[in-house]
Amino acid sequence: MDKVWVLAEQSAGSPSAIALELLSKARDLAQQVEAITYGAGGQLAAATLGEYGATKVFDAGDLGDSLPGPKLAAAIAALAASEGAPGAILVGMTYDGRDVAARLSARLDRPLLTNVVGLAKEDDSLVTEHAIFGATKVLKARFTGEGPGIFVVRAKSFAAEPSSSGVPETAALDLPDAGATDAAKVKGRHAEEREGPALDEAPVVVSGGRGLGSAENYALIEELAKLLKGAAGASRAIVDAGWVPYSHQVGQTGKTVKPTVYIACGISGATQHMVGMKGAKNIVAINKDQDAPIFSIADLGVVGDVHKVLPKLIEAVKSRS
Amino acid sequence: MNVAVCVKQIPDPAGELSLTPDSHTLVREGKLMMDDSDAYGVEMALQLVEAAGGGDVVLMSMAPNGETSGLRTALAMGAERAVLVSDPALAGSDALGTAKVLAAVVKRVEPDLVLAATESTDGYTGTMPVQLAELLGWPSVSFAKQVSVAGGAVNVRRQTEAGYDEVTCPLPAVVTVTAGVVEPRYPSFKGIMAARSKSVEQLSVSDLGIEGSQVGATGARQEVVSVQQADERQAGEIVVDEGDAHERILAFLEQVKVL
């Protein structure tokens, strides 16, 4: 494989963690690793992208009030036509990454593989790994048709490691008119306030599930998370129930987390949840049902009532400091 | 206003799921049910049509063996009718193949808005609705956590990494909704009875003018190489709380040096 493209998301000049993970992986796959970036600060991000292996950075610049999907897919399709298509296009499984990959797939009429957690060269083709059935099985797959293959990769699948490569060449990426597909416009952006570290970067994640009994009891999760300098997570059940915002969700549909310690409180361990936290170094589970699936992967399982254990644990941590 | 909703009929996710030994695709031969994730889109559609003062909610689905049991659930919630594409040629279709089929259905149904879940519970590819939008040449807004329609446009609060964006999009458009966007209603007894006589139009691939090679396993242009058991995490120590379990947890946190 001669060339791999990586869609590298960045914010104000800082590449996203997954962009650097993808670039690091791309170095194993091809000699020529080229990044495609967008948004204000792309020029600034180029240096870091180069550090992680990009030999060339195409910068689409600020997209204004457009959503990234339509314009970037049109631009990448045009780039493939003018520069020659790469063997593979790697995209992060993020809100925007999915949109870009989906539209690009339809534009190029190429299939895509999503939820990729592993990628390796085998005989001249790329073989993907996917965690299925609640990560109890690993499925390997590959494309059989003409490239480029579009791979949509879950966060934290690969380690981000800087390389010794030099300063990348940079080029402006032209944004073609995407017509009616680009008609959705962003009228306002809202950042939710967050105390402490981001959920997917925190060394400690304390998560709550249906076993908490009520939305009010989520305060216990937040308090313990804060005391441990960690982040508060949630199962899909209580996000669906409206107890906490979607941004707290850990699992298949939410965030993938790999903290030093994951503390699951009142979470039974649905497969959809386990996919998102199974990679934690250590897992502590508190659940009153001794048959809860979460105990099968917990390093320390406490069969007990979260309403009793959590307040005592909070007090114990407090009195320690 | 007419709203079309993508409804996937899937094997019971709480049941034993398995892959076919030859193609390693999900076994879909038994009784199927409506994907829970789609209940949010159906409910949203019903509320939007009601708020608009009229129109129909039409369901679109693709499933083997003329399966309609999941569609009946959505019809019982209040959808007007359904279009089901069922054809042996569709076995093994990927997300892009599915989008091609549903794009042809959208052209027949001509809705003002297409709603779908962000991803299905069984395959969770998570790209089909936006592929559908691209094939139709329509705009799309994914990850909606709030949806309203006014003046020929759909207004969406779209989930982002940082929080949410307020997005306005002219119709027709495709919108994917997150779980929790609305509280889905339970079908009433009256609704269940009424659903039995509602129309489910059954179409084949050729009815839609689609080449068989574009869909199914051939159109998917991908193959499963192998399926293996994942490395199992071993269960560790299990203790029953007798009023002192918090001390055990504290000791564990100290041991792994987060305290």
Side-chain angles (χ1 to χ4, degrees), chain B residues 29 45 56 70 101 160 172 182 192 207-208 227:
Chain B
E29 290 308 309
D56 285 341
V101 169
T160 62
V182 279
I192 294 166
D207 289 337
L208 292 170
V227 181

Side-chain angles (χ1 to χ4, degrees), chain B residues 25-188:
Chain B
T25 51
L26 193 63
V27 173
R28 298 174 187 279
E29 290 308 309
K31 185 174 153 60
L32 303 179
M33 57 194 283
M34 176 171 76
D35 187 337
D36 268 349
S37 308
D38 292 328
Y40 302 96
V42 173
E43 179 63 42
M44 193 77 249
L46 292 169
Q47 291 187 14
L48 289 175
V49 164
E50 197 187 313
D56 285 341
V57 174
V58 182
L59 312 171
M60 308 189 295
S61 190
M62 189 173 113
N65 309 324
E67 177 69 50
T68 61
S69 40
L71 287 172
R72 294 288 170 204
T73 307
L75 290 168
M77 287 174 71
E80 184 64 25
R81 65 189 177 93
V83 180
L84 171 69
V85 188
S86 193
D87 195 313
L90 293 172
S93 290
D94 69 336
L96 183 57
T98 306
K100 287 175 182 173
V101 169
L102 294 184
V105 176
V106 169
K107 284 176 185 159
R108 289 169 73 106
V109 173
E110 298 185 326
D112 301 294
L113 174 66
V114 173
L115 293 180
T118 55
E119 62 192 42
S120 64
T121 304
D122 61 343
Y124 52 83
T125 307
T127 56
M128 195 288 292
V130 177
Q131 287 169 309
L132 169 65
E134 183 69 24
L135 292 171
L136 292 167
W138 288 11
S140 60
V141 188
S142 57
F143 285 96
K145 35 193 266 173
Q146 205 173 23
V147 183
S148 61
V149 170
V154 58
N155 299 304
V156 173
R157 273 192 183 180
R158 177 177 187 254
Q159 178 76 38
T160 62
E161 292 295 337
Y164 65 89
D165 286 351
E166 300 275 5
V167 181
T168 296
C169 179
L171 300 175
V174 175
V175 172
T176 74
V177 296
T178 57
V181 68
V182 279
E183 185 63 37
R185 70 193 68 183
Y186 286 105
S188 64

Side-chain angles (χ1 to χ4, degrees), chain A residues 176-217:
Chain A
D177 181 7
T181 59
D182 182 35
K185 297 296 173 193
V186 178
K187 300 290 178 195
R189 300 182 199 272
H190 299 261
E192 274 160 12
E193 283 194 28
R194 190 188 72 211
E195 273 184 68
L199 181 56
D200 49 1
E201 289 163 13
V204 178
V205 174
V206 185
S207 280
R210 185 75 81 177
L212 288 173
S214 71
E216 290 70 45
N217 287 333

Side-chain angles (χ1 to χ4, degrees), chain A residues 82-133:
Chain A
S82 64
E83 298 261 324
I89 302 174
L90 310 187
V91 179
M93 189 107 187
T94 60
Y95 301 114
D96 291 342
R98 282 201 211 197
D99 280 4
V100 175
R103 287 195 176 267
L104 187 59
S105 153
R107 248 179 200 274
L108 297 176
D109 192 25
R110 290 291 179 276
L112 40 69
L113 284 163
T114 70
N115 287 293
V116 173
V117 296
L119 198 52
K121 241 190 318 199
E122 280 179 29
D123 311 324
D124 227 33
S125 71
L126 288 183
V127 173
T128 55
E129 285 186 16
H130 309 258
I132 63 163
F133 296 165

Side-chain angles (χ1 to χ4, degrees), chain A residues 105-314:
Chain A
S105 153
R107 248 179 200 274
L108 297 176
D109 192 25
R110 290 291 179 276
L112 40 69
L113 284 163
T114 70
N115 287 293
V116 173
V117 296
L119 198 52
K121 241 190 318 199
E122 280 179 29
D123 311 324
D124 227 33
S125 71
L126 288 183
V127 173
T128 55
E129 285 186 16
H130 309 258
I132 63 163
F133 296 165
T136 56
K137 288 194 159 69
V138 177
L139 181 147
K140 291 188 179 184
R142 69 171 157 225
F143 292 117
T144 54
E146 256 178 67
I150 304 170
F151 301 89
V152 186
V153 181
R154 289 189 70 89
K156 297 188 164 59
S157 298
F158 312 122
E161 284 157 358
S163 73
S164 52
S165 49
V167 178
E169 185 188 341
T170 56
L173 179 62
D174 292 330
L175 288 170
D177 181 7
T181 59
D182 182 35
K185 297 296 173 193
V186 178
K187 300 290 178 195
R189 300 182 199 272
H190 299 261
E192 274 160 12
E193 283 194 28
R194 190 188 72 211
E195 273 184 68
L199 181 56
D200 49 1
E201 289 163 13
V204 178
V205 174
V206 185
S207 280
R210 185 75 81 177
L212 288 173
S214 71
E216 290 70 45
N217 287 333
Y218 192 75
L220 294 170
I221 300 296
E222 287 175 318
E223 188 174 6
L224 182 59
K226 197 175 171 185
L227 285 168
L228 297 173
K229 299 183 182 62
S235 72
R236 178 172 173 173
I238 70 167
V239 172
D240 285 7
W243 294 2
V244 287
Y246 180 76
S247 51
H248 288 276
Q249 189 171 319
V250 173
Q252 175 58 51
T253 17
K255 292 273 193 317
T256 303
V257 299
K258 291 190 175 176
T260 309
V261 182
Y262 188 87
I263 308 178
C265 308
I267 292 176
S268 62
T271 54
Q272 114 82 39
H273 185 75
M274 306 248 255
V275 176
M277 44 68 77
K278 233 180 165 178
K281 283 195 192 73
N282 299 282
I283 297 171
V284 177
I286 309 168
N287 202 295
K288 62 182 177 196
D289 175 10
Q290 61 174 7
D291 296 325
I294 192 85
F295 287 132
S296 70
I297 62 162
D299 299 286
L300 174 62
V302 171
V303 182
D305 186 348
V306 288
H307 306 102
K308 290 181 182 152
V309 179
L310 275 182
K312 283 187 196 166
L313 181 58
I314 287 167

